[in-house]
Amino acid sequence: MPGSHTVLALEGRLDVRSAADVRARLHQAVDGGTGDLVLDLSALAAWDATGLGVIMGTHRRAGRLGRRLVLRGVPPQLQRLLVATKLHRILAVEGATGDPCGATLPAGTNQSLPSAVAPLH
């Protein structure tokens, strides 16, 4: 359905310990849905290089399937990391300057995921 999207929320840490589980669940969400996959990071305390790799892998997988990964609620320290690595130019970050999706995404489907991935409330 055009304009549809799925919203997932990450909480806690996205690091080497949680990466495999989170990667599997995000890939499952990408493979099984349509429209944008909106990833709410507002409750994410930290991520490391492995976690950033999970985000980038999900971004690439979504693109191959004609979908888009959109990051929402990116905490300031993670925004700085995206800018420092220049990934803010590649990833869609909701509310970022020049981001066409802004806050205009239509209502979508919230999915409940275990571990470091939680539904948006």
Side-chain angles (χ1 to χ4, degrees), residues 63-96:
R64 284 193 302 271
L65 295 173
R67 299 185 70 192
R68 184 174 71 144
L69 177 67
V70 178
L71 303 181
R72 173 184 289 169
V74 180
Q77 70 274 21
L78 302 180
Q79 288 179 15
R80 288 190 292 277
L81 178 62
L82 291 178
V83 171
T85 57
K86 299 194 184 334
L87 292 175
H88 70 292
R89 297 179 180 175
I90 297 169
L91 295 168
V93 179
E94 187 177 78

Side-chain angles (χ1 to χ4, degrees), residues 94-120:
E94 187 177 78
T97 304
D99 178 14
C101 74
T104 62
L105 292 173
T109 304
N110 293 340
Q111 290 188 5
S112 177
L113 300 177
S115 185
V117 184
L120 180 65

Side-chain angles (χ1 to χ4, degrees), residues 12-32:
R13 299 180 64 88
L14 178 54
D15 56 20
V16 70
R17 289 178 298 219
S18 63
D21 290 337
V22 172
R23 179 184 300 111
R25 297 308 304 254
L26 290 176
H27 287 188
Q28 181 181 33
V30 167
D31 295 347

